Amino acid sequence: MQQAVNWPSSHIRAALPLQASSMPLSDLRQSYEKSVLLETEAAASPFEQFKRWFDEALAAKVPEPNAMTLATVNANGQPSARTVLIKGADERGFTFFTNYESRKGEDLAANPRAALLFFWQPLERQVRIEGRVEPVSAEESDHYFHSRPPGSRIGAWASEQSRPTTRETLQAREREFRDRYGDQPPRPPHWGGYRLVPDYFEFWQGRPSRLHDRLRYLPDGQGWKIDRLAP
């Protein structure tokens, strides 16, 4: 069981001016009025609906539309979230790559389920995806690894991801592996891809007065059932 954290009163006093300066956080709000999401216009497949919205995010030049929040849970039930980049999306699922010994890798080894969140603020849209996670094949990991720039490939060897380190140690390890492999390092055995296989999609479109559109897709036999959720 985690113990409650008792913050020093000096820390609490230091935080209060954040509310007092400029506008209080409680007054920050925005009216969403750019689009609608209706059942009659939604794709029958959530994968097709995702592709439509992703293509529209690309066309609108949304910054890093491939960035997504990945949420995992460890063996003790502690959730953790971070931003990663999607590297593949098709009807098999959504693919990303990482160090298998990182915190996210340890979480997925203990609990192979996760959630993804895409937030495309300029379009007032978000997509939530949940499902089980499985490693991709070694061939798929090799293919993507060797498509990366040489510096990123060396970085996969140099970084003991999620472990305490110093900048000096990290740079020394980078020199060590660059001397060892040059510009053609093999894929590290501790690095590769995961695929989230979805069993839940939710597409959210901002609307005025917080009466947002939320369409949920759930598996239904060989297809998907669509229903609307209250905002």
Side-chain angles (χ1 to χ4, degrees), residues 55-169:
D55 288 346
E56 289 174 15
L58 285 174
K61 300 188 185 304
V62 172
E64 293 198 281
N66 55 329
M68 61 186 184
T69 300
L70 167 67
T72 57
V73 177
N74 71 10
N76 297 320
Q78 175 63 44
S80 178
R82 75 289 287 162
T83 301
V84 301
L85 300 179
I86 186 174
K87 292 300 179 180
D90 55 33
E91 294 207 356
R92 296 175 300 167
F94 295 79
T95 304
F96 59 95
F97 293 84
T98 190
N99 186 315
Y100 292 140
E101 297 173 354
S102 65
R103 181 174 178 181
K104 69 179 83 66
E106 291 178 346
D107 286 358
L108 292 171
N111 184 358
R113 290 192 61 83
L116 307 177
L117 173 67
F118 294 85
F119 180 50
W120 298 315
Q121 188 276 334
L123 299 178
E124 300 173 351
R125 289 173 174 172
Q126 71 175 5
V127 182
R128 297 171 56 188
I129 305 169
E130 300 171 9
R132 61 181 174 83
V133 180
E134 59 189 25
V136 304
S137 68
E139 292 77 14
E140 192 169 348
S141 290
D142 286 340
H143 178 78
Y144 174 68
F145 182 79
H146 290 293
S147 75
R148 305 178 86 205
S152 296
R153 282 179 269 159
I154 291 294
W157 282 96
S159 175
E160 298 177 295
Q161 196 174 101
S162 302
R163 304 296 186 268
T165 190
T166 65
R167 192 71 199 174
E168 292 75 16
T169 298

Side-chain angles (χ1 to χ4, degrees), residues 215-230:
L215 296 189
R216 177 178 64 177
Y217 289 73
L218 295 174
D220 182 20
Q222 298 301 311
W224 295 82
K225 174 187 176 183
I226 305 175
D227 56 12
R228 176 174 290 268
L229 302 178

